[in-house]
Amino acid sequence: MWWQGQRTVDLVSELLDRQIEDDDGRGVGKVDDLELVRRADGRWEVTELLLGGRALAGRLGGRVGRLVGWLTRRLHGSDQPRGIPLSRVTAIGPAVRVPAEVADAVRSPSERWLRERVISRVPGAGRARE
Amino acid sequence: MRASEVLDRPVVDPEGRRVGRIVEVRATPEQSPGTQVIMVVDGFVIARGHLRLLDYQRYHEHGPALLRWLVKRLHRWSRFAPHDTLTLPDGPGPARLGVAWTELPYLLDVAWPD
Amino acid sequence: MKKWLGLTLGVLSAVGGFVDIGDIVENGLVGARYGMSLTWVIVLGVIGIATYAHMSGRIVAVSGRPVYDLVRERLGAKAALANLVGSLLITLLTLAAEIGGVALVIELATGVDHLVWVLLVGVGLWLVVWRVRFQTMEQTLGFAGLAVAVFVVAVFCLDPDWGTLGSQVVRVTPPEGEPLPTYLYHAIALFGSAMTPYEVFFFSSGGVEEKWSRADLAVVKMNSFVGFPLGGLLGLGIAAATAAVLLPAGVQVDNISQVLLPVALSLGGVGLVIGLFGFAATTVGAALETGLSAGYAVAQFFGWEWGKRVRPAGAARFHLAVALSLLAGALVVQTGVDPVALTEYSLVFSAVALPLTYLPVLIVANDTDYLGEHVNGRISNTLGLLTLVVVVLAAAAAIPLMIATGAGA
C-alpha cells in the first residue's frame, strides 16, 4: 500500500524533493537525496532517504552546494546527512510519511538548538494560537 | 552511492562515444514472502539535455495536453536503459552502456504505455 | 455571515497584488496619466491570479501541499533554489516598501516624519506574527482593507463625465501624444504586480494554516473568484478616482498624498480619514503577507516545520526567518530610500520568479495523484496556459522596457 498500488516509482518524479512528514503532519524535512547500494547480483537497491543541509549540498553541487555544506557544518558540526531507512517509510504520496519515533530520531539539530537557546526564551513562544 | 551522483552523470556507449546523461531512475518495490519491502532499480532514462520529465512520463493522460506534447517532443530521442545494460563506476567518470545506443528502447515506448 | 468571513483570505492575498503601497501609487499615477485605459491589464491580472489561486487552493484542500512544496518537488532542488532567490528578493523589497508605506500613512495622519515610525512599525508587525491568531489577522485586515472602496464611492459622488471614463475603459492603446513604450512599461508593471508570486505563497499557506480539506473546496472557489476580484476592484477604484479628478486638471502623481486628493475633494474630511484608514489596513496587510510569505517560502523549500498554527517554539527556524525579514525590511527603509521605488525594482526579478512559480502549480493541478477527480478542467487549463504565456512575454519584456523608458518616466 505504501507505494499506492503503483508498479514502479520514478525516483526523481515521485520521491526526491518531496516533503517528509510524521503521522501528525508535522514537517520533518525534504527528501534531499537517496542512498543506493549495489547488491551482490549487481542490481542497485534504494536503501535510505537522506535529508538535511549536507544532503542538499550534494544535490546542488558547485559553488552554491559548497556554501550550503559549509554553512551546515558551521551550524551543527555534522558531516553526515541524516537518513531514514526506506523500510520505515509508511507512505509515498504528495508527502512521504514516517512514524513519529522515526521522525524524532532525525529532527534537525539546528532547529532544536534555536528552539532551546533562542525562541523558547521569548515570552509567548510555547502557546499555540489556533 | 547517492542519487545525486547518479543523476546528470554522462553516459557513453561501448565505443566510448557520449550519448547523453541520466535524467531519471525507475525503481520497483519488491517483497519476497517474510521479508521487508525493498526498492530495486529497474533502469535509467538517458536524455540529450538536462530537461526534466516533469512527471509527464508517469501516465498517459496527464494534462495540460500542450505541456504533455511539449515534454514528449523534447524527449523523443531519449531512451530507457534497463539496469543490466548500464554500468555505473564507483568513482567519477561516465556510466558505460553494455549494448549499442540504438538497441535501447525509446523512452516514449516504455514510459507512456497506451 | 460565516460564508462571507471565509472570503477574507482571498481579499487579503489580493491586497498584496493590487493595493499595496506600490500599487496605490502606481494606480494613482496611471489613472492621472492614462485615465482608465489600462483597465484591461487589471482585468487580465485578476483573471490570471484568480485562476492560479484556485488551482493552488484546490491542491491544498485535497493534498495539503502549499505552493513552495510544489515548486521544489516538480522543479528539483536547483531550479527551486533559483526561484527562491528571485521570489525572496521580490518579497523582501515589497516588505521593506510596505513597512515604509505604513510609516508614510502614519506621517500623513500625524505630521511626524515617517522615518520616526519605521522601527515601531517593524516591532508591531512582529508582535502580530508572534501572537495573533492567523484567522483573526486575516479577517480583521481583509475587512478593514475594503475601506479603500471609498475611492469608488468618491467617483460616484463626483459624478464625472461617464462617457469619457467609459471610452477610456474599452481602449487598449495609450491616449494621443503618449509614447507606446512608456504605456507598455506601466502595463507590465501593473500586470507583474498583479501576478506577484507571494500572493499564491500566502494564499496556499493560509489554506494550510486554516486546515482546509475537501469540505472547503467551495470556500476556495469563492476566495479565488470573489476575494481576488474584489482586491482588483479596489485598485481600479483608485485609478478611476485619479482619472476623474487629476487627469483633467493635468496633475502628475508620484506620492501617496496626491492619490488621496480626489477622495478629499469629493467626500471631505470623512473621506480622507476613511481613505487613510484603508491605506493603513492594506499596507499593514501587505506587510504581513510579504513577511509571512518570506518565511513560508524558505521553510517550504528546506522542509522545515512552519506556520502560525503551531506554537512558535515548534517552528523555530520559520519564526527566525520571518523576524529577520521584518528586521531587514525595517533597516532598508530606515536608510531613507523611497519605499515606492523599491517596489519598482522588484519587477526585475519577476522574469525568474513568475514562470518558475506558476508552471509547477499548473502541472500539479493536473496530477491525479494529488487531486484525484478535482484536477483541472479544460477552462482552468486554457486560462492557466494563456496566463503563463502572457507572464513569460511580460517577464521577458520587463527589463528592456524598464531601461528604455527610465522606469516609466
Side-chain angles (χ1 to χ4, degrees), chain C residues 105 109 140-148 150-151 260 270-285:
Chain C
V105 173
T140 311
L141 290 166
F143 265 119
L146 293 177
V148 176
V150 72
F151 279 86
L260 281 163
V270 178
L272 199 59
V273 169
I274 300 176
L276 265 181
F277 174 77
F279 284 174
T282 58
T283 47
V284 168

Side-chain angles (χ1 to χ4, degrees), chain B residues 56 59 61-65 67-68, chain C residues 48 50-59 62 217 220 225 358-388:
Chain B
Y56 280 94
Y59 56 101
E61 64 280 14
H62 195 323
L67 283 181
R68 183 176 67 232
Chain C
T51 304
Y52 278 97
H54 188 220
M55 288 185 215
S56 64
R58 249 172 29 233
I59 295 169
V62 178
L217 282 168
V220 173
F225 297 123
Y358 293 113
L359 179 67
V361 174
L362 178 63
I363 295 173
V364 175
N366 278 280
D367 192 328
T368 49
D369 276 2
Y370 279 73
L371 283 166
E373 57 184 317
H374 299 290
V375 289
N376 273 1
R378 190 163 292 177
I379 296 173
S380 289
N381 272 343
T382 309
L383 287 177
L385 278 169
L386 285 176
T387 304
L388 206 56

Side-chain angles (χ1 to χ4, degrees), chain C residues 5-6 8-9 134-136 138-139 204-213 216 219 223 309:
Chain C
L5 273 176
T8 45
L9 181 58
F134 187 89
Q135 214 166 26
T136 311
E138 168 220 310
Q139 289 174 350
S204 64
S205 303
V208 177
E209 299 265 31
E210 303 208 331
K211 305 189 169 111
W212 279 348
S213 66
D216 299 303
V219 176
N223 270 295
R309 68 198 181 289

Side-chain angles (χ1 to χ4, degrees), chain C residues 116-274:
Chain C
V116 175
W117 304 106
V118 170
L119 283 180
L120 270 175
V121 170
V123 171
L125 291 169
W126 176 77
L127 278 173
V128 175
V129 171
W130 188 254
R131 290 307 299 150
V132 179
R133 230 161 50 104
F134 187 89
Q135 214 166 26
T136 311
M137 172 193 93
E138 168 220 310
Q139 289 174 350
T140 311
L141 290 166
F143 265 119
L146 293 177
V148 176
V150 72
F151 279 86
V152 181
V153 178
V155 174
F156 280 96
C157 292
L158 284 165
D159 195 26
D161 181 353
W162 292 102
T164 313
L165 276 190
S167 69
Q168 290 167 354
V169 168
V170 293
R171 71 188 299 169
V172 291
T173 50
E176 254 101 294
E178 287 284 357
L180 184 65
T182 316
Y183 175 82
L184 284 179
Y185 171 77
H186 285 293
I188 287 178
L190 277 175
F191 182 74
S193 167
M195 294 296 297
T196 194
Y198 54 73
E199 283 170 274
V200 285
F201 297 165
F202 185 75
F203 185 64
S204 64
S205 303
V208 177
E209 299 265 31
E210 303 208 331
K211 305 189 169 111
W212 279 348
S213 66
R214 276 166 207 269
D216 299 303
L217 282 168
V219 176
V220 173
K221 197 171 208 171
M222 202 163 76
N223 270 295
S224 310
F225 297 123
V226 182
F228 276 86
L230 266 179
L233 206 63
L234 296 178
L236 268 184
I238 296 173
T242 57
V245 176
L246 302 182
L247 176 64
V251 178
Q252 295 262 355
V253 167
D254 62 6
N255 67 50
I256 190 167
S257 52
Q258 291 164 318
V259 180
L260 281 163
L261 275 175
V263 198
L265 212 64
S266 160
L267 304 169
V270 178
L272 199 59
V273 169
I274 300 176

